[in-house]
Amino acid sequence: MINHLHEQNLECTGCEACANACPVSAIHMEPDTLGFYEAKIDAKACVDCGRCLGVCPVLNDFPTDHTDKPACYAAMAEDAIRVESSSGGAFTLLVETVLSNGGVAVGAAWSSDETVRHIFIDNYGSISKLRKSKYVQSRIGMVYQEVKNFLIAGRPVLFSGCPCQVAGLNAFLGRAYKNLLTVDILCHGVPSSKMLQEELSTLVDDAVTLIDFRPKSHGWKASTRHMSIQGGKQVEIGEESAYEMAFHNSLSTRDSCVSCKFGEFPRQGDLSIGDFWGIGKVRPDMDDGFGTSVVILHTKKAEAVWGEIKDELSWFACKREEILQPR
């Protein structure tokens, strides 16, 4: 499968759809020299079914009914939610809506081994695990299989991740589910866990239990230049670390991110969320320095859930070119 990608000058994104789809568990993920995980196939176990080739979202263009002219909004939740969020808090309200209907939310969370992994939650007390931007690639593991089991059981599911991960889930599932809501983030690309762990070893001696790349102790806009590390003690890096500087200048992102096809319109998720950088140029009254979200609706399903949460937000409709402007 990797040979098929390289023959076409394509790169594995590490979405792990192939590993989830393999019927004989012949595929596992191994890190390359930079720490990016790539699919490896056990030739002895492989039965040549071709399932991995069929679900790879890089090798295949799957049809979508998502609009290429989505409705766009700026949104701000109440301050109590925004202080715990990287931007405007829209993600929290989306998760709360799914949980209130007896569903589960799936997203990226810090793990005890200083990596980020996708997990599922089914209670309000765990929402904090999924909040906040994590500037490192998340491991999917077998989460796609768990999502499918929840969907078949009839439970509502919110899946959030990078666009390539949402594409991987859609490819793995192979069909639409009414009880699935997918949320892709406006992604800048991903460094590897290995890069992060090497950086942490130069900053702290203790085991790290949590990293907040976007603490708002200095405000929303300044949060991109600070990093708070929690372990045996809490350390705040006042200016950008080498890791963050490399990330923000796209020097450490995965090769597949350079030519990512999943960040284009139409998008992979039912809706997209991110920071509304430049909000002050569009609506100065919403530029309070505490965070504003962009919410982009790509499907009727997204429009329906927006109708459920918008009364809990301060919001206004905007044009796509307004949300794409630089900071």
Side-chain angles (χ1 to χ4, degrees):
M1 181 183 61
I2 297 300
N3 288 339
H4 278 275
L5 286 167
H6 292 171
E7 287 169 2
Q8 300 178 50
N9 294 317
L10 300 172
E11 299 287 344
C12 172
T13 67
C15 76
E16 305 193 43
C18 56
N20 278 262
C22 181
V24 293
S25 301
I27 300 177
H28 61 283
M29 308 297 290
E30 289 185 4
D32 62 15
T33 55
L34 295 177
F36 293 111
Y37 280 81
E38 190 173 79
K40 301 295 181 182
I41 299 176
D42 181 349
K44 294 181 180 179
C46 178
V47 294
D48 293 321
C49 67
R51 176 70 175 146
C52 57
L53 295 174
V55 302
C56 177
V58 178
L59 285 173
N60 301 280
D61 290 320
F62 296 101
T64 177
D65 60 355
H66 294 192
T67 180
D68 60 355
K69 297 180 180 179
C72 304
Y73 299 93
M76 295 164 44
E78 61 183 49
D79 289 352
I81 292 177
R82 285 199 295 161
V83 73
E84 301 295 336
S85 306
S86 288
S87 52
F91 175 72
T92 294
L93 296 182
L94 292 169
V95 173
E96 288 180 347
T97 297
V98 170
L99 296 184
S100 69
N101 291 319
V104 298
V106 183
W110 287 107
S111 181
S112 59
D113 60 357
E114 299 181 359
T115 64
V116 175
R117 298 175 183 273
H118 263 60
I119 65 169
F120 70 87
I121 64 167
D122 60 4
N123 62 83
Y124 289 89
S126 296
I127 293 177
S128 61
K129 296 179 181 179
L130 304 188
R131 285 193 188 112
K132 288 283 190 175
S133 300
K134 290 131 182 137
Y135 295 153
V136 62
Q137 185 162 31
S138 173
R139 291 295 311 281
I140 289 291
M142 294 295 112
V143 160
Y144 294 157
Q145 294 183 2
E146 295 182 78
V147 168
K148 185 174 183 179
N149 291 336
F150 284 127
L151 294 172
I152 291 174
R155 295 189 71 178
V157 177
L158 179 149
F159 179 91
S160 62
C162 295
C164 61
Q165 294 172 326
V166 175
L169 173 64
N170 289 337
F172 167 77
L173 293 175
R175 72 174 184 84
Y177 285 83
K178 292 182 179 179
N179 50 329
L180 172 65
L181 180 72
T182 53
V183 181
D184 69 58
I185 62 172
L186 300 181
C187 179
H188 182 77
V190 289
S192 71
S193 291
K194 179 181 179 181
M195 295 175 183
L196 178 60
Q197 289 167 351
E198 289 179 352
E199 174 76 354
L200 292 176
S201 69
T202 69
L203 299 175
V204 291
D205 297 323
D206 303 306
V208 174
T209 57
L210 180 69
I211 301 173
D212 186 351
F213 285 109
R214 304 281 301 278
K216 287 186 175 174
S217 52
H218 299 276
W220 173 47
K221 296 175 184 178
S223 71
T224 59
R225 298 190 297 276
H226 292 75
M227 179 168 65
S228 178
I229 305 170
Q230 295 179 25
K233 59 181 178 180
Q234 183 167 340
V235 179
E236 182 174 298
I237 310 303
E239 293 297 330
E240 283 189 313
S241 66
Y243 180 87
E244 289 184 290
M245 285 191 286
F247 170 73
H248 287 135
N249 288 285
S250 301
L251 299 176
S252 58
T253 53
R254 190 173 183 129
D255 285 347
S256 60
C257 299
V258 177
S259 56
C260 177
K261 70 177 184 179
F262 305 114
E264 302 173 352
F265 290 95
R267 299 278 293 190
Q268 295 299 310
D270 289 302
L271 67 158
S272 302
I273 57 173
D275 292 281
F276 198 140
W277 299 125
I279 182 66
K281 299 176 183 178
V282 182
R283 279 283 296 269
D285 58 304
M286 291 189 73
D287 187 18
D288 66 354
F290 213 47
T292 307
S293 294
V294 167
V295 181
I296 310 173
L297 312 180
H298 308 291
T299 65
K300 295 294 184 182
K301 191 185 300 183
E303 292 174 4
V305 75
W306 172 252
E308 293 183 50
I309 69 170
K310 67 180 184 179
D311 289 344
E312 300 178 61
L313 296 161
S314 298
W315 61 273
F316 74 91
C318 52
K319 299 176 181 179
R320 192 168 72 179
E321 53 267 29
E322 292 174 328
I323 66 172
L324 296 178
Q325 63 178 286
R327 286 178 62 186

Short mmCIF file of all heavy atoms in Angstrom, two decimals, residues 70-123:
data_model
loop_
_atom_site.label_atom_id
_atom_site.label_comp_id
_atom_site.label_asym_id
_atom_site.label_seq_id
_atom_site.Cartn_x
_atom_site.Cartn_y
_atom_site.Cartn_z
N PRO A 70 -20.09 26.89 1.95
CA PRO A 70 -20.71 26.71 3.27
C PRO A 70 -21.07 28.02 3.95
O PRO A 70 -20.52 29.08 3.65
CB PRO A 70 -19.60 26.00 4.06
CG PRO A 70 -18.34 26.52 3.44
CD PRO A 70 -18.64 26.66 1.97
N ALA A 71 -22.01 27.93 4.89
CA ALA A 71 -22.34 29.07 5.75
C ALA A 71 -21.25 29.20 6.80
O ALA A 71 -20.79 28.20 7.36
CB ALA A 71 -23.69 28.85 6.41
N CYS A 72 -20.82 30.42 7.07
CA CYS A 72 -19.72 30.67 8.00
C CYS A 72 -20.18 31.61 9.13
O CYS A 72 -20.92 32.57 8.87
CB CYS A 72 -18.53 31.30 7.28
SG CYS A 72 -17.91 30.35 5.89
N TYR A 73 -19.71 31.33 10.34
CA TYR A 73 -20.11 32.13 11.49
C TYR A 73 -18.92 32.39 12.40
O TYR A 73 -18.00 31.56 12.52
CB TYR A 73 -21.20 31.42 12.30
CG TYR A 73 -22.46 31.15 11.52
CD1 TYR A 73 -22.65 29.94 10.87
CD2 TYR A 73 -23.46 32.12 11.43
CE1 TYR A 73 -23.80 29.69 10.14
CE2 TYR A 73 -24.63 31.88 10.71
CZ TYR A 73 -24.78 30.66 10.06
OH TYR A 73 -25.93 30.42 9.33
N ALA A 74 -18.96 33.53 13.06
CA ALA A 74 -18.08 33.80 14.20
C ALA A 74 -18.91 33.51 15.44
O ALA A 74 -20.09 33.84 15.49
CB ALA A 74 -17.63 35.26 14.19
N ALA A 75 -18.29 32.88 16.45
CA ALA A 75 -19.07 32.46 17.62
C ALA A 75 -18.25 32.57 18.89
O ALA A 75 -17.06 32.27 18.91
CB ALA A 75 -19.57 31.03 17.44
N MET A 76 -18.94 32.98 19.97
CA MET A 76 -18.32 33.09 21.29
C MET A 76 -19.26 32.51 22.32
O MET A 76 -20.41 32.93 22.43
CB MET A 76 -18.01 34.56 21.63
CG MET A 76 -16.97 35.20 20.73
SD MET A 76 -16.94 37.03 20.83
CE MET A 76 -17.04 37.32 22.59
N ALA A 77 -18.76 31.53 23.09
CA ALA A 77 -19.53 30.98 24.21
C ALA A 77 -19.36 31.89 25.42
O ALA A 77 -18.62 32.89 25.39
CB ALA A 77 -19.06 29.56 24.52
N GLU A 78 -20.01 31.54 26.51
CA GLU A 78 -19.87 32.33 27.74
C GLU A 78 -18.43 32.25 28.24
O GLU A 78 -17.68 31.32 27.93
CB GLU A 78 -20.83 31.83 28.81
CG GLU A 78 -20.61 30.39 29.22
CD GLU A 78 -21.63 29.91 30.22
OE1 GLU A 78 -22.84 30.10 30.00
OE2 GLU A 78 -21.21 29.32 31.23
N ASP A 79 -18.03 33.23 29.03
CA ASP A 79 -16.64 33.34 29.46
C ASP A 79 -16.16 32.11 30.23
O ASP A 79 -14.99 31.72 30.11
CB ASP A 79 -16.45 34.58 30.34
CG ASP A 79 -16.55 35.88 29.54
OD1 ASP A 79 -16.62 35.79 28.29
OD2 ASP A 79 -16.58 36.96 30.15
N ALA A 80 -17.02 31.50 31.02
CA ALA A 80 -16.62 30.33 31.80
C ALA A 80 -16.18 29.18 30.91
O ALA A 80 -15.31 28.39 31.29
CB ALA A 80 -17.77 29.88 32.71
N ILE A 81 -16.75 29.09 29.72
CA ILE A 81 -16.34 28.06 28.76
C ILE A 81 -15.12 28.52 27.99
O ILE A 81 -14.18 27.75 27.77
CB ILE A 81 -17.50 27.75 27.79
CG1 ILE A 81 -18.64 27.05 28.54
CG2 ILE A 81 -17.02 26.88 26.62
CD1 ILE A 81 -19.87 26.77 27.69
N ARG A 82 -15.10 29.79 27.59
CA ARG A 82 -13.98 30.28 26.78
C ARG A 82 -12.66 30.22 27.53
O ARG A 82 -11.62 29.96 26.91
CB ARG A 82 -14.26 31.70 26.30
CG ARG A 82 -15.28 31.77 25.18
CD ARG A 82 -15.18 33.09 24.45
NE ARG A 82 -15.54 34.23 25.28
CZ ARG A 82 -15.20 35.49 25.03
NH1 ARG A 82 -14.47 35.77 23.96
NH2 ARG A 82 -15.58 36.47 25.82
N VAL A 83 -12.66 30.44 28.84
CA VAL A 83 -11.42 30.42 29.59
C VAL A 83 -10.79 29.04 29.58
O VAL A 83 -9.58 28.88 29.73
CB VAL A 83 -11.64 30.91 31.04
CG1 VAL A 83 -12.37 29.86 31.86
CG2 VAL A 83 -10.32 31.28 31.69
N GLU A 84 -11.60 28.01 29.38
CA GLU A 84 -11.11 26.63 29.35
C GLU A 84 -10.86 26.15 27.92
O GLU A 84 -10.50 24.99 27.72
CB GLU A 84 -12.13 25.71 30.02
CG GLU A 84 -12.42 26.04 31.47
CD GLU A 84 -11.22 25.86 32.39
OE1 GLU A 84 -10.33 25.07 32.02
OE2 GLU A 84 -11.17 26.50 33.45
N SER A 85 -11.06 27.03 26.94
CA SER A 85 -10.97 26.65 25.53
C SER A 85 -9.82 27.38 24.85
O SER A 85 -9.35 28.40 25.34
CB SER A 85 -12.29 26.99 24.82
OG SER A 85 -13.40 26.42 25.49
N SER A 86 -9.41 26.87 23.70
CA SER A 86 -8.34 27.53 22.95
C SER A 86 -8.84 28.77 22.23
O SER A 86 -8.12 29.74 22.07
CB SER A 86 -7.72 26.57 21.94
OG SER A 86 -6.93 25.60 22.59
N SER A 87 -10.10 28.74 21.75
CA SER A 87 -10.63 29.91 21.06
C SER A 87 -11.97 30.33 21.67
O SER A 87 -12.01 30.76 22.81
CB SER A 87 -10.72 29.66 19.55
OG SER A 87 -11.42 28.47 19.25
N GLY A 88 -13.06 30.16 20.92
CA GLY A 88 -14.34 30.71 21.37
C GLY A 88 -15.28 29.76 22.08
O GLY A 88 -16.37 30.16 22.49
N GLY A 89 -14.89 28.49 22.23
CA GLY A 89 -15.71 27.57 23.01
C GLY A 89 -16.82 26.86 22.26
O GLY A 89 -17.63 26.15 22.87
N ALA A 90 -16.90 27.00 20.94
CA ALA A 90 -17.97 26.35 20.18
C ALA A 90 -17.90 24.83 20.29
O ALA A 90 -18.94 24.15 20.34
CB ALA A 90 -17.90 26.77 18.71
N PHE A 91 -16.69 24.29 20.36
CA PHE A 91 -16.53 22.83 20.45
C PHE A 91 -17.23 22.26 21.68
O PHE A 91 -17.90 21.23 21.61
CB PHE A 91 -15.04 22.48 20.48
CG PHE A 91 -14.76 21.01 20.69
CD1 PHE A 91 -14.99 20.10 19.67
CD2 PHE A 91 -14.27 20.55 21.90
CE1 PHE A 91 -14.73 18.75 19.86
CE2 PHE A 91 -14.02 19.20 22.10
CZ PHE A 91 -14.25 18.29 21.07
N THR A 92 -17.10 22.95 22.80
CA THR A 92 -17.72 22.47 24.04
C THR A 92 -19.23 22.32 23.87
O THR A 92 -19.82 21.32 24.30
CB THR A 92 -17.41 23.43 25.19
OG1 THR A 92 -16.01 23.39 25.47
CG2 THR A 92 -18.18 23.04 26.45
N LEU A 93 -19.87 23.29 23.24
CA LEU A 93 -21.32 23.24 23.07
C LEU A 93 -21.72 22.10 22.13
O LEU A 93 -22.75 21.46 22.33
CB LEU A 93 -21.84 24.58 22.55
CG LEU A 93 -21.66 25.77 23.50
CD1 LEU A 93 -22.26 27.03 22.90
CD2 LEU A 93 -22.28 25.49 24.86
N LEU A 94 -20.91 21.85 21.11
CA LEU A 94 -21.19 20.73 20.22
C LEU A 94 -21.13 19.40 20.98
O LEU A 94 -22.00 18.53 20.82
CB LEU A 94 -20.18 20.71 19.06
CG LEU A 94 -20.27 21.86 18.07
CD1 LEU A 94 -19.05 21.86 17.15
CD2 LEU A 94 -21.56 21.75 17.23
N VAL A 95 -20.11 19.24 21.81
CA VAL A 95 -19.98 18.02 22.60
C VAL A 95 -21.13 17.88 23.57
O VAL A 95 -21.71 16.79 23.72
CB VAL A 95 -18.63 18.00 23.34
CG1 VAL A 95 -18.56 16.81 24.29
CG2 VAL A 95 -17.48 17.94 22.35
N GLU A 96 -21.48 18.96 24.25
CA GLU A 96 -22.57 18.90 25.22
C GLU A 96 -23.88 18.48 24.57
O GLU A 96 -24.67 17.73 25.16
CB GLU A 96 -22.73 20.26 25.90
CG GLU A 96 -21.62 20.59 26.88
CD GLU A 96 -21.80 21.95 27.54
OE1 GLU A 96 -22.65 22.74 27.06
OE2 GLU A 96 -21.09 22.22 28.53
N THR A 97 -24.11 18.95 23.34
CA THR A 97 -25.34 18.59 22.64
C THR A 97 -25.40 17.09 22.37
O THR A 97 -26.45 16.45 22.58
CB THR A 97 -25.42 19.36 21.31
OG1 THR A 97 -25.49 20.76 21.57
CG2 THR A 97 -26.66 18.95 20.52
N VAL A 98 -24.30 16.51 21.93
CA VAL A 98 -24.27 15.06 21.66
C VAL A 98 -24.43 14.26 22.95
O VAL A 98 -25.19 13.28 23.00
CB VAL A 98 -22.97 14.68 20.93
CG1 VAL A 98 -22.82 13.17 20.85
CG2 VAL A 98 -22.95 15.27 19.53
N LEU A 99 -23.74 14.68 24.01
CA LEU A 99 -23.83 13.95 25.27
C LEU A 99 -25.24 14.04 25.85
O LEU A 99 -25.73 13.07 26.45
CB LEU A 99 -22.82 14.52 26.28
CG LEU A 99 -21.34 14.37 25.94
CD1 LEU A 99 -20.47 14.90 27.08
CD2 LEU A 99 -20.97 12.93 25.62
N SER A 100 -25.90 15.18 25.69
CA SER A 100 -27.25 15.34 26.23
C SER A 100 -28.26 14.42 25.56
O SER A 100 -29.32 14.13 26.12
CB SER A 100 -27.71 16.80 26.08
OG SER A 100 -27.93 17.13 24.71
N ASN A 101 -27.91 13.91 24.38
CA ASN A 101 -28.77 12.98 23.67
C ASN A 101 -28.34 11.53 23.86
O ASN A 101 -28.73 10.65 23.10
CB ASN A 101 -28.77 13.31 22.17
CG ASN A 101 -29.48 14.63 21.87
OD1 ASN A 101 -30.53 14.91 22.44
ND2 ASN A 101 -28.91 15.43 20.98
N GLY A 102 -27.52 11.30 24.90
CA GLY A 102 -27.09 9.94 25.21
C GLY A 102 -25.96 9.43 24.34
O GLY A 102 -25.72 8.22 24.26
N GLY A 103 -25.25 10.35 23.69
CA GLY A 103 -24.19 9.95 22.77
C GLY A 103 -22.81 9.97 23.37
O GLY A 103 -22.62 10.13 24.59
N VAL A 104 -21.81 9.79 22.50
CA VAL A 104 -20.41 9.82 22.89
C VAL A 104 -19.68 10.81 22.01
O VAL A 104 -20.08 11.07 20.86
CB VAL A 104 -19.75 8.43 22.78
CG1 VAL A 104 -20.43 7.44 23.71
CG2 VAL A 104 -19.76 7.92 21.36
N ALA A 105 -18.60 11.38 22.54
CA ALA A 105 -17.76 12.28 21.77
C ALA A 105 -16.36 11.68 21.68
O ALA A 105 -15.85 11.13 22.66
CB ALA A 105 -17.70 13.66 22.43
N VAL A 106 -15.77 11.78 20.51
CA VAL A 106 -14.45 11.21 20.25
C VAL A 106 -13.53 12.33 19.82
O VAL A 106 -13.86 13.12 18.93
CB VAL A 106 -14.52 10.13 19.15
CG1 VAL A 106 -13.15 9.48 18.96
CG2 VAL A 106 -15.57 9.08 19.49
N GLY A 107 -12.36 12.39 20.46
CA GLY A 107 -11.41 13.44 20.09
C GLY A 107 -10.05 13.18 20.69
O GLY A 107 -9.80 12.14 21.31
N ALA A 108 -9.14 14.13 20.52
CA ALA A 108 -7.75 13.99 20.93
C ALA A 108 -7.57 14.38 22.39
O ALA A 108 -8.05 15.43 22.83
CB ALA A 108 -6.85 14.84 20.04
N ALA A 109 -6.83 13.53 23.13
CA ALA A 109 -6.60 13.78 24.55
C ALA A 109 -5.16 13.40 24.90
O ALA A 109 -4.57 12.52 24.28
CB ALA A 109 -7.57 12.98 25.40
N TRP A 110 -4.62 14.07 25.92
CA TRP A 110 -3.28 13.73 26.38
C TRP A 110 -3.30 12.38 27.07
O TRP A 110 -4.20 12.04 27.82
CB TRP A 110 -2.77 14.79 27.36
CG TRP A 110 -2.39 16.06 26.67
CD1 TRP A 110 -3.08 17.24 26.69
CD2 TRP A 110 -1.25 16.27 25.84
NE1 TRP A 110 -2.45 18.17 25.91
CE2 TRP A 110 -1.32 17.60 25.38
CE3 TRP A 110 -0.18 15.48 25.44
CZ2 TRP A 110 -0.36 18.16 24.55
CZ3 TRP A 110 0.78 16.02 24.60
CH2 TRP A 110 0.69 17.34 24.17
N SER A 111 -2.24 11.59 26.82
CA SER A 111 -2.08 10.28 27.43
C SER A 111 -0.95 10.32 28.44
O SER A 111 -0.14 11.24 28.44
CB SER A 111 -1.79 9.24 26.34
OG SER A 111 -1.64 7.95 26.90
N SER A 112 -0.89 9.32 29.31
CA SER A 112 0.12 9.29 30.37
C SER A 112 1.53 9.11 29.85
O SER A 112 2.51 9.34 30.58
CB SER A 112 -0.20 8.16 31.37
OG SER A 112 -0.24 6.91 30.70
N ASP A 113 1.67 8.70 28.57
CA ASP A 113 3.01 8.50 28.00
C ASP A 113 3.49 9.70 27.20
O ASP A 113 4.36 9.58 26.34
CB ASP A 113 3.05 7.23 27.14
CG ASP A 113 2.07 7.29 25.96
OD1 ASP A 113 1.32 8.29 25.85
OD2 ASP A 113 2.04 6.35 25.16
N GLU A 114 2.93 10.87 27.48
CA GLU A 114 3.32 12.13 26.84
C GLU A 114 3.01 12.15 25.34
O GLU A 114 3.68 12.80 24.55
CB GLU A 114 4.80 12.44 27.08
CG GLU A 114 5.16 12.60 28.55
CD GLU A 114 6.63 12.93 28.77
OE1 GLU A 114 7.38 13.02 27.77
OE2 GLU A 114 7.04 13.10 29.93
N THR A 115 1.98 11.41 24.94
CA THR A 115 1.51 11.42 23.56
C THR A 115 0.05 11.85 23.57
O THR A 115 -0.60 11.92 24.61
CB THR A 115 1.63 10.04 22.90
OG1 THR A 115 0.78 9.10 23.59
CG2 THR A 115 3.07 9.54 22.92
N VAL A 116 -0.46 12.14 22.38
CA VAL A 116 -1.88 12.48 22.22
C VAL A 116 -2.56 11.33 21.49
O VAL A 116 -2.05 10.85 20.47
CB VAL A 116 -2.05 13.80 21.44
CG1 VAL A 116 -3.52 14.08 21.16
CG2 VAL A 116 -1.44 14.96 22.22
N ARG A 117 -3.68 10.87 22.02
CA ARG A 117 -4.40 9.75 21.43
C ARG A 117 -5.88 10.07 21.37
O ARG A 117 -6.40 10.80 22.22
CB ARG A 117 -4.18 8.47 22.25
CG ARG A 117 -2.72 8.02 22.29
CD ARG A 117 -2.51 6.81 23.19
NE ARG A 117 -1.10 6.45 23.26
CZ ARG A 117 -0.49 5.64 22.40
NH1 ARG A 117 -1.20 5.10 21.41
NH2 ARG A 117 0.79 5.36 22.51
N HIS A 118 -6.57 9.53 20.39
CA HIS A 118 -8.02 9.70 20.31
C HIS A 118 -8.71 8.77 21.32
O HIS A 118 -8.37 7.59 21.41
CB HIS A 118 -8.51 9.40 18.90
CG HIS A 118 -8.69 10.63 18.06
ND1 HIS A 118 -7.65 11.48 17.77
CD2 HIS A 118 -9.79 11.18 17.46
CE1 HIS A 118 -8.10 12.49 17.01
NE2 HIS A 118 -9.39 12.33 16.82
N ILE A 119 -9.64 9.35 22.06
CA ILE A 119 -10.41 8.59 23.04
C ILE A 119 -11.89 8.95 22.87
O ILE A 119 -12.23 9.89 22.14
CB ILE A 119 -9.99 8.90 24.48
CG1 ILE A 119 -10.30 10.37 24.83
CG2 ILE A 119 -8.50 8.60 24.68
CD1 ILE A 119 -10.15 10.70 26.32
N PHE A 120 -12.77 8.23 23.54
CA PHE A 120 -14.17 8.62 23.56
C PHE A 120 -14.59 8.93 24.99
O PHE A 120 -14.06 8.36 25.95
CB PHE A 120 -15.07 7.54 22.95
CG PHE A 120 -15.20 6.29 23.78
CD1 PHE A 120 -16.17 6.19 24.78
CD2 PHE A 120 -14.38 5.20 23.55
CE1 PHE A 120 -16.30 5.03 25.54
CE2 PHE A 120 -14.50 4.04 24.30
CZ PHE A 120 -15.46 3.96 25.30
N ILE A 121 -15.50 9.87 25.13
CA ILE A 121 -16.07 10.23 26.44
C ILE A 121 -17.58 10.16 26.35
O ILE A 121 -18.16 10.32 25.26
CB ILE A 121 -15.63 11.63 26.90
CG1 ILE A 121 -16.18 12.70 25.95
CG2 ILE A 121 -14.11 11.73 26.99
CD1 ILE A 121 -16.07 14.13 26.49
N ASP A 122 -18.23 9.94 27.49
CA ASP A 122 -19.70 9.88 27.50
C ASP A 122 -20.29 10.63 28.69
O ASP A 122 -21.43 10.38 29.09
CB ASP A 122 -20.19 8.43 27.49
CG ASP A 122 -19.69 7.62 28.68
OD1 ASP A 122 -19.02 8.20 29.57
OD2 ASP A 122 -19.96 6.41 28.73
N ASN A 123 -19.50 11.56 29.28
CA ASN A 123 -20.02 12.33 30.40
C ASN A 123 -19.43 13.74 30.37
O ASN A 123 -18.34 13.97 29.84
CB ASN A 123 -19.71 11.64 31.72
CG ASN A 123 -18.22 11.50 31.97
OD1 ASN A 123 -17.57 12.43 32.44
ND2 ASN A 123 -17.66 10.33 31.65
#
